[in-house]
Amino acid sequence: MKALFLSCTLKASLAPSKTEALAQVLVRQFEEEGITSEIVRLADYNVKPGVSSDEGEGDDWPFIRGKIVAADILVMGTPTWLGQHSSICQRALERMDAMLSETAEDGRPIAFDKVGGIVITGNEDGAHHIVACVSQPLIDIGFTMPANCWTYWHLGPGPGPDYLETDQAHDYSDRLARNAARNMAAVARALKASPLPQQETSG
């Protein structure tokens, strides 16, 4: 099985990402579960605004969408800005809106039998709000969100160091990350063994 991480940091590659640093805890746990992982940093691509699977010339989303479709597990990784998930994370969710009406060869929604998860970092609060705001669209699209399928790290009120600059609270966040990876792996295996049923449609 394969896990795809969409890194929604606002920084392009070569710049260190605290969100990807926490995501690596899940990557290591997935490896123990026999699952391979790939991290795609969306800031490195031209993801055009829109709600279709292809917004025309120069749009890199079809390439990224192909990776989503090929994966068994999708993990959205986002920093916290102004108490919200990043604008890049929101754009990715908007582009996945097209998957609401897309079906696989068997006629079921294209995201069925795929598992979702979330990684959040930031030196301010807002993590639980982001879990809610990111989980809801993923569920609508057809992803299965297991119990405790997320982890977060934040320092608390006010400015301060980030996840890469301090070891404070790493034990808690890393433990959540390992548990999230185990839960996602377990549900992904269950869905492989017993896929979700075909859905009733109108007409």
Side-chain angles (χ1 to χ4, degrees):
M1 290 192 295
K2 182 175 182 179
L4 176 68
F5 290 75
L6 292 187
S7 172
C8 300
T9 175
L10 301 182
K11 304 170 184 174
S13 281
L14 300 183
S17 165
K18 56 185 179 291
T19 305
E20 289 180 17
L22 180 53
Q24 287 293 340
V25 180
L26 281 86
V27 169
R28 291 190 291 273
Q29 185 62 44
F30 277 142
E31 186 176 0
E32 291 190 17
E33 302 289 334
I35 297 172
T36 60
S37 299
E38 179 182 7
I39 297 177
V40 174
R41 189 178 290 205
L42 294 182
D44 293 338
Y45 295 89
N46 180 25
V47 178
K48 291 189 173 183
V51 291
S52 76
S53 287
D54 190 343
E55 289 292 330
E57 184 177 356
D59 184 19
D60 289 333
W61 182 254
F63 170 75
I64 296 161
R65 177 191 173 279
K67 290 182 176 292
I68 296 172
V69 172
D72 302 289
I73 299 170
L74 174 68
V75 181
M76 302 294 293
T78 179
T80 306
W81 292 112
L82 301 175
Q84 312 292 323
H85 52 286
S86 74
S87 57
I88 289 179
C89 181
Q90 182 62 28
R91 177 159 297 187
L93 293 171
E94 289 167 353
R95 294 303 303 269
M96 281 191 279
D97 180 83
M99 298 173 73
L100 284 165
S101 58
E102 294 174 348
T103 57
E105 291 181 0
D106 60 8
R108 295 182 309 141
I110 199 165
F112 264 31
D113 303 332
K114 298 184 186 299
V115 171
I118 308 167
V119 173
I120 303 162
T121 58
N123 61 5
E124 56 185 292
D125 202 354
H128 287 86
H129 168 73
I130 293 173
V131 168
C133 290
V134 176
S135 292
Q136 181 270 324
L138 291 178
I139 292 168
D140 277 0
I141 292 164
F143 290 88
T144 297
M145 306 296 287
N148 301 330
C149 62
W150 47 267
T151 186
Y152 71 92
W153 180 91
H154 71 77
L155 191 63
D162 64 31
Y163 181 85
L164 289 172
E165 297 169 337
T166 179
D167 291 331
Q168 182 178 339
H170 277 216
D171 287 348
Y172 176 77
S173 297
D174 292 359
R175 184 172 69 252
L176 286 183
R178 290 189 294 271
N179 287 336
R182 293 185 189 105
N183 293 348
M184 284 185 272
V187 172
R189 284 192 289 264
L191 289 171
K192 281 283 189 184
S194 182
L196 294 171
Q198 183 59 274
Q199 305 296 285
E200 293 185 20
T201 58
S202 60

